[in-house]
Each structure stands twice: as structure tokens, then as C-alpha cells.
Amino acid sequence: MWGIRWKKIVLFLFALAAGAMLMACGQRAGAENGEGGILEDMLEEDADGEADNSAGAAADAEGFPDPGGSSPVDLAATGDAGADAAAGEMQEMFGKDCIAAQTFSVLLSEYSGEVWFVPFAPSAENPEFRMQIIQDGEVLQEIAGYVPDGLAGKAFDSLDAVSFYDVNFDGCTDIVLIETYGGTAFAAVYYGFAGDADDYERFFIAQEALSCAVTAQAEELSISGIRDFLTSGKKNGEFTDYREAYRAVGRLCALEGMSGFDLIYFDADEIPELVAGEPGYFVSLYTYEAGTVYPLMDRWAYGAMGNAGYEYCARKNSLRNVNSDFAGAIVYTTYMTAGSRHTLDTVVQIETYNFDDVNENGVPDPEEEGSIGCYGISYIDGRTVPDAECASYAAGEYTYMEGSMSLEELQAQLAR
């Protein structure tokens, strides 16, 4: 496996060759053309940890890489020795089926250090388009290609553009592709997921509803066109105020299929928080500070398995969730608060047994324990606590987060 410095030299040669030939290449349906850029533009990582890596990305007027993509280039057909060498090296490293024009060495938030994003065209051994994340010769993840239902069974034509950035404002790098199957181009968005622990599984999941909506509604099916459609071209961290930010978040959530929205005052400041979700099923909560949106809750489920939902105490920075097992025989009351790192942190969890657990097995046994509903005792971290201590964690009157406004009503509220 080559060292990182030598990899970048090869990519530099590849970028120059690709840029020189882009204007001579035909454009498939929906694919976009772009001018060749330098390697620094392709691999430049912004201060917020995002990276835009699209073949042929060109620097914009502010010195940042344009997130636009480019048409695929058949480097082997160009006759250019440098381009042939670069493509050959890619295929020697990753196999003859790798799509060299859309293969990148990139920094992704899900992994430590640079990794290779390597897409593969269908072949006799692997008849489907697929992608791999590779580091030091090890395949960290294989990502199956997403194809819309309407194009199922159509032949893969090309991978037209690739970009890596945080689409859904959660701090993780996502992947955006433009592909062509059977002469029809479409967008494919993959959300990235990663935990804090080193051994936590990292993965990317195709967002089918969002991909279909973007394909159908974006004015221009290009990477820059998609970003313009979703956020008017703004990256998270660049919003001028919470209104602009929440308009972008609301649009994205609606494209994902959410129908309920609200503006609430969760903490004591004068900037509201945004509630978004599907009432009765799940809810998300977003906060805003200095140009950046932060998700305090991301699709937290409720309405089943004893989870009654999530309540907030206005301007008190207090969230409450009541969950139960065994038809209410055991009740878990959890209080949370938003911390300085824009996360919801647990203050306390109160475990209440509404029966006398005579055999101390943590489960109501009706034959032995007929006291359900006639007895109650609460614990915090295994310690018995009185009702007064349990009540002391409540900050006041609580209201359920349910999302009572439509997207249109939210946008009208934000326009005031």
C-alpha cells in the first residue's frame, strides 16, 4: 500500500488529466461537466470537518472548492499518458473494475485518518454497482448501491459525481452520488453513522425517500444543484440566523417524510428550538448557535413499547420521558438537559416499582406478588428514594413535543 504522499501525487496527475479532457467528453442524461481543479481543491477539508471531493471541483470566488461534480471520464480512451498511468495505478491498487475517475482519498468523520472511497462498476463476479471504504489495504465497509424502484433491472451506465459533506446536520460526513442507469440520472444520498467509541460500528445507509425527492424536485441534478436545493448552497456553520437554518432543516425533514413541526423555547435564551418528526412515531429536536444547527434529538421513537413520548418544560432546559414495562408495573422516568456540547445529557433516571417485588427478580409475578397497583417504591442507581426526591427533579409544567405545525405553517412562522 502506498504512502499517503505518493497517493496524493497520483491523484494530482489524475485530476490534471481529467480536467484537460472533460470538455471533450459527452454528457449522459443528467450528468454534469466541470472544469479540472487542483488536488488541494479536491481534498481541502473545511474547518468544520466537511470535505467536498468531486472530480474536477473548481475553486469558487472565496477560495473554497465548489461542491459540483463532473462527468465520468474514460481515461484509457484519451491516449494521454499521464491519465492512462493514473487510471492504471488506481486499477492496480483496487482492481480493474474500480471507477478510477470517482475514486478518492478522503477524510470522513466516521474514520480516523484518510481512507479511500472506491466505487466499482458491475462485473461478471459482482453484477451490481457497489462501493468500498478502504484504509491501509483493509476494506472497512462495503456499501451496496442504491437504485430507485423505477430503474430496477436497468443497466448501470455511469457514476457521474461524488461529494462528501454533512447533509443532515448531525456532524457525520454523508455521501451524495449522481448515477445513471438506463440513460436516466438520479441522486443517491447515504447518511453516515458513527459512535464515540472506537469499536462502534460505522456504516452508511441509503436514504431512499430523500434521494427520490431530490431527484424529482432539484432544479439542476448536480452536486451544486442539490446543495442549492437543500440549503440554498449553505453549509452548516454558514447560516446567517436561526430562521435561515430552520428553513433548511425543515425542508430536509419534509423531504425525508416528516409532517409535524414546532418552534419551542426549550432553554432560557431567545432563540427557539425546532421540533420535527412524525407525530406518534418519532421526534427530532434541533438547536441553533452562531450559524450552526445541532441535533439534540435525532428521530427518537415513541408511541410503542411503553414509551409515552417526550415532554419539555418551557425555558427550563428540562426534558422528561416516561417509559414503562409490564403494563405500567415498572415505570422509568428520565430527566435530561442540554449540555454545553449541544447534546442531551441524562440528569437522572427514576425506576419505580408499582408492586412488591417479593422474590427480587425485577419482574411482576401475579401468583406470588398480587400487589400490582397497590404498592410503589422508587430507586435511583439502586438507592431507595422518597416521592419528594423524585418530584424535585421536575422543573415545572411539561408539554409533549408533537409537532403541531405543517411545513408551510413553519415556514410562515419563520418568515415573520
Side-chain angles (χ1 to χ4, degrees), residues 145-181:
Y146 157 72
V147 182
D149 291 340
L151 295 177
K154 301 292 185 180
F156 172 86
D157 289 334
S158 58
L159 174 60
D160 307 314
V162 179
S163 187
F164 311 89
Y165 74 101
D166 180 11
V167 176
N168 62 335
F169 314 104
D170 67 350
C172 291
T173 308
D174 307 311
I175 302 174
V176 180
L177 310 179
I178 298 175
E179 307 171 49
T180 300
Y181 275 67

Side-chain angles (χ1 to χ4, degrees), residues 24-252:
C25 293
Q27 182 178 4
R28 296 185 183 272
E32 61 171 320
N33 290 316
E35 298 180 358
I38 62 174
L39 182 66
E40 286 77 9
D41 288 336
M42 295 169 60
L43 297 181
E44 179 177 346
E45 185 186 33
D46 300 326
D48 60 4
E50 294 182 1
D52 289 308
N53 299 269
S54 301
D60 62 19
E62 297 172 323
F64 294 103
D66 186 304
S70 67
S71 296
V73 183
D74 183 0
L75 295 176
T78 66
D80 184 273
D84 287 348
E89 293 291 358
M90 291 289 185
Q91 292 174 342
E92 182 179 346
M93 291 170 64
F94 303 118
K96 60 183 177 59
D97 300 318
C98 92
I99 303 173
Q102 302 292 357
T103 296
F104 301 104
S105 178
V106 62
L107 291 170
L108 302 178
S109 66
E110 290 80 5
Y111 303 99
S112 176
E114 287 184 276
V115 298
W116 284 99
F117 170 82
V118 186
F120 294 90
S123 65
E125 295 80 9
N126 293 281
E128 305 295 334
F129 168 70
R130 61 197 172 94
M131 298 155 278
Q132 289 181 346
I133 305 296
I134 300 173
Q135 187 177 61
D136 297 330
E138 177 186 357
V139 177
L140 302 181
Q141 186 186 356
E142 178 132 353
I143 307 171
Y146 157 72
V147 182
D149 291 340
L151 295 177
K154 301 292 185 180
F156 172 86
D157 289 334
S158 58
L159 174 60
D160 307 314
V162 179
S163 187
F164 311 89
Y165 74 101
D166 180 11
V167 176
N168 62 335
F169 314 104
D170 67 350
C172 291
T173 308
D174 307 311
I175 302 174
V176 180
L177 310 179
I178 298 175
E179 307 171 49
T180 300
Y181 275 67
T184 300
F186 62 91
V189 181
Y190 294 77
Y191 282 173
F193 296 88
D196 295 330
D198 291 339
D199 58 352
Y200 191 90
E201 183 179 4
R202 275 80 172 154
F203 52 91
F204 292 88
I205 298 179
Q207 304 300 302
E208 297 185 15
L210 176 60
S211 299
C212 288
V214 168
T215 300
Q217 299 180 41
E219 185 174 335
E220 177 186 336
L221 194 56
S222 65
I223 296 299
S224 57
I226 290 170
R227 294 191 72 153
D228 286 342
F229 171 63
L230 292 177
T231 63
S232 299
K234 293 287 185 74
K235 297 179 183 179
N236 200 14
E238 297 178 348
F239 295 114
T240 56
D241 58 25
Y242 78 83
R243 293 178 177 85
E244 182 182 54
Y246 289 168
R247 280 195 292 269
V249 177
R251 172 187 286 270
L252 178 69

